[in-house]
Amino acid sequence: MSVTIKTAREIEIMRHAGKLLEQVHDGLSKLIRPGISTWEINHEGEKMIRELGCVPSFLHYNGYPVSICVSVNEEVVHGIPKQDRFLKEGDIVSLDAGLMYKGYHSDAARTYGVGTISQEAQRLIDVTQQCFFEGIKYAKAGMHLHEISSAIGRYAEKFGYGVVRDLVGHGIGTCLHEDPQIPNFVCKSRGILLHSGMTLAIEPMIDIGTSDVRWLDDGWTVVTEDGSLSAHYENTIVISDGEPELITLSK
Ligand code: MF3
Ligand code: CO
């Protein structure tokens, strides 16, 4: 599949899909506390998505069993919610959610501390979010894709963090995952030329320790090889001639 350029009408729909997903994340953020199960977070998230008249993008995607990816501590992404997995004080948890509205997807992830967390953990969360913002300084028509990738990777490396290489960001639209793939690390190649109307999900995944990850036997959950904490931050954006539009983040 090649990279798609969305029309103004398509972007209008995606803008709305993004706004609705932001509402879901706002609702999810209020649930985070010691003692809640990861299963309940998924249950509430799926309910919110459906009440907004949307379809959860992740449910049954390549067999993924639930609607919200809930990844705790050393889990990088694609954690599978469980009835007997409870958040505890000091954990960090990333919530990744996607929804489809009128045939178009939006995709966003946030990482939260549960109760009081270590300074080390908070810094990882903050730097991962800032990686996204460093990257999108280059998210503009006329720039090349890998300038975004390299800016993300350079910023994370300043802190000595591991940048996950086995998973990447992606184009998004009528499919959850469209071309191009968007690495989060420093690249030698320039990548494709960015055009107005491209819609991209930029999603740095950053580890305190090694960048190496492995997949658990459930076939989904990705964890850091060394067991160190990992954070994830993602928004869906629209490329234009000026500043990128962050459709899953209004504030
Ligand atoms: N944001 C994640 C991604 O782009 C969510 C996908 S989870 C899956 O890969 F279950 F749908 F695969
Ligand atoms: Co994504």
Side-chain angles (χ1 to χ4, degrees):
M1 194 181 136
S2 54
V3 179
T4 58
I5 306 287
K6 276 73 177 181
T7 64
R9 192 194 128 266
E10 290 180 291
I11 289 169
E12 193 51 45
I13 297 172
M14 289 192 68
R15 196 173 278 138
H16 199 71
K19 200 179 298 249
L20 295 176
L21 184 57
E22 186 177 15
Q23 285 178 33
V24 172
H25 267 295
D26 285 349
L28 288 173
S29 70
K30 300 193 177 91
L31 300 174
I32 301 304
R33 56 175 166 76
I36 191 170
S37 70
T38 56
W39 186 88
E40 187 174 347
I41 294 168
N42 171 69
H43 179 78
E44 292 300 319
E46 178 167 343
K47 199 164 83 181
M48 286 188 266
I49 291 171
R50 295 204 189 277
E51 281 170 1
L52 291 167
C54 300
V55 176
S57 305
F58 302 170
L59 183 63
H60 306 320
Y61 180 87
N62 290 339
Y64 190 70
V66 294
S67 300
I68 315 288
C69 303
V70 185
S71 309
V72 184
N73 294 337
E74 77 285 358
E75 296 172 356
V76 179
V77 286
H78 305 169
I80 299 179
K82 291 189 183 60
Q83 265 173 304
D84 60 355
R85 176 84 199 255
F86 302 94
L87 298 184
K88 59 179 195 311
E89 181 95 18
D91 283 344
I92 67 171
V93 60
S94 70
L95 306 183
D96 191 352
L99 60 76
M100 186 175 65
Y101 168 76
K102 293 193 178 170
Y104 287 81
H105 295 272
S106 55
D107 186 3
R110 306 282 182 257
T111 300
Y112 301 106
V114 181
T116 306
I117 61 172
S118 68
Q119 272 183 6
E120 207 190 8
Q122 188 61 54
R123 192 175 71 151
L124 174 70
I125 293 173
D126 295 344
V127 169
T128 302
Q129 179 172 334
Q130 190 56 33
C131 281
F132 168 87
F133 287 101
E134 294 297 319
I136 64 163
K137 289 178 181 169
Y138 301 88
K140 192 176 181 174
M143 309 289 281
H144 287 85
L145 183 70
H146 291 174
E147 293 176 272
I148 300 176
S149 305
S150 295
I152 292 171
R154 271 198 310 271
Y155 190 73
E157 281 170 10
K158 270 197 215 172
F159 296 84
Y161 290 154
V163 178
V164 176
R165 302 173 77 91
D166 296 87
L167 297 133
V168 293
H170 50 95
I172 180 168
T174 55
C175 297
L176 174 63
H177 292 145
E178 298 186 354
D179 282 342
Q181 294 196 14
I182 309 174
N184 294 303
F185 47 84
V186 177
C187 298
K188 291 196 177 119
S189 58
R190 292 193 303 181
I192 61 159
L193 185 62
L194 297 176
H195 290 279
S196 290
M198 287 182 178
T199 46
L200 309 174
I202 313 272
E203 50 180 319
M205 288 152 267
I206 309 293
D207 309 338
I208 285 194
T210 181
S211 59
D212 293 344
V213 299
R214 65 189 172 85
W215 270 254
L216 297 186
D217 288 339
D218 63 21
W220 281 102
T221 313
V222 180
V223 298
T224 56
E225 191 68 73
D226 61 2
S228 68
L229 295 179
S230 183
H232 185 201
Y233 185 80
E234 174 180 30
N235 283 300
T236 300
I237 72 168
V238 183
I239 300 296
S240 73
D241 292 328
E243 297 282 300
E245 188 181 347
L246 278 46
I247 64 170
T248 49
L249 185 71
S250 61
K251 46 196 179 290

